[in-house]
Amino acid sequence: MSRGQSYLISLFRNRTRQSPNTQLRSLTLEPRDSESNPNEQKCAGGGTYTEMAKTVSTIMRERQRWQQTLVSDFPSFNFADPLFFRELLKSQNNVLFSLWFFRWLCSNYDYTPDPVSLNLLFGALLDAKAVKAAKSFLDTTGFNPEPTLLELYVKFLSEDGLVEEAVDVYNVLKETGISPTVVTCNAVLLGCLKARKLNLFWELHKGMMESEVDLERIRCLVLIRCRD
């Protein structure tokens, strides 16, 4: 693991202040078109992953204590199969259920989440704009998300008023050699502006002098000049 990646994981663990048991609201998400679909692959015991995922999704919605009966209902099925978890995530229309299932897996199986599954779940939390839940998820797993997800994370942190956390992640992206997009740069600047952290705004803007400037950047500069 590179120095930048190690620093990234360490930063998330130290910066996240939310409890892993943060209460979550009901959140919906849409499936991503780019995700691979193993729905025709057969799982152990017959049937497909898609069929099993739909069955389990229905049980989770309709049965209050599904955690206590799911294994006995399907004793020969391997719920820790990464292909099944990814299909379950796409079958659910509520990321809260997927997060519950993930925590159930971690507490009941010798389960080591794979990077693909972690990125999918983290991305689903971001799609649902569950920023605090995403922070808690990073803290409890300590994994290194894909750069595109981190940029989206910076944007939502900024919009949610968590400016210091957004700036931390933004700086880590730059330290690991990633050049944030103009959308990400503008989002963190606007977050500083809304939080009235003007010194931080100018410090960040100084480091963005060579980056692309668009109408949103100009709007931020006009607004801060007015406030100054």
Side-chain angles (χ1 to χ4, degrees):
M1 181 180 295
S2 67
R3 175 182 176 275
Q5 290 177 327
S6 299
Y7 177 65
L8 179 61
I9 294 173
S10 176
L11 173 63
F12 284 138
R13 288 174 173 169
N14 293 333
R15 283 288 184 180
T16 303
R17 302 185 180 92
Q18 294 296 324
S19 167
N21 296 320
T22 301
Q23 291 185 345
L24 306 177
R25 63 188 183 280
S26 179
L27 303 166
T28 60
L29 63 147
E30 296 295 330
R32 297 177 174 218
D33 294 336
S34 60
E35 291 172 2
S36 60
N37 185 7
N39 58 346
E40 296 303 323
Q41 298 188 38
K42 298 294 183 180
C43 53
T48 65
Y49 289 105
T50 297
E51 292 169 347
M52 189 63 181
K54 290 180 179 179
T55 299
V56 173
S57 296
T58 300
I59 291 174
M60 292 175 66
R61 288 194 303 270
E62 299 179 353
R63 189 182 301 172
Q64 290 185 345
R65 299 182 178 180
W66 60 267
Q67 300 96 327
Q68 302 175 12
T69 60
L70 194 58
V71 174
S72 59
D73 288 341
F74 307 96
S76 62
F77 187 76
N78 179 20
F79 289 103
D81 188 330
L83 291 178
F84 170 72
F85 178 77
R86 297 170 202 170
E87 194 64 20
L88 180 71
L89 183 60
K90 289 186 287 183
S91 297
Q92 297 280 11
N93 63 352
N94 190 320
V95 70
L96 173 60
F97 288 165
S98 300
L99 189 57
W100 279 350
F101 187 84
F102 174 82
R103 291 176 175 171
W104 176 78
L105 277 179
C106 293
S107 61
N108 288 275
Y109 285 83
D110 183 16
Y111 176 64
T112 302
D114 62 292
V116 173
S117 298
L118 289 170
N119 277 291
L120 285 174
L121 184 51
F122 183 64
L125 291 169
L126 294 179
D127 286 344
K129 296 187 177 181
V131 181
K132 293 181 180 179
K135 285 182 60 180
S136 176
F137 181 70
L138 282 178
D139 184 53
T140 55
T141 58
F143 88 107
N144 187 25
E146 295 176 351
T148 54
L149 291 178
L150 281 180
E151 291 209 56
L152 189 60
Y153 185 47
V154 170
K155 179 177 182 293
F156 289 145
L157 284 172
S158 302
E159 292 177 354
D160 214 44
L162 303 173
V163 178
E164 293 182 358
E165 289 85 349
V167 172
D168 283 341
V169 181
Y170 173 84
N171 287 333
V172 169
L173 281 169
K174 296 190 67 177
E175 290 176 12
T176 54
I178 299 170
S179 297
T181 64
V182 64
V183 173
T184 303
C185 294
N186 292 344
V188 73
L189 286 177
L190 188 59
C192 292
L193 184 59
K194 290 181 178 179
R196 297 184 180 275
K197 296 183 179 295
L198 304 188
N199 290 335
L200 184 56
F201 177 99
W202 287 118
E203 180 182 341
L204 289 170
H205 182 263
K206 183 178 179 181
M208 300 176 184
M209 296 297 291
E210 296 182 359
S211 65
E212 181 183 353
V213 177
D214 62 356
L215 291 177
E216 183 67 14
R217 180 77 57 82
I218 295 173
R219 185 172 77 90
C220 288
L221 292 171
V222 170
L223 288 173
I224 196 170
R225 287 296 186 185
C226 292
R227 292 191 178 183
D228 281 344

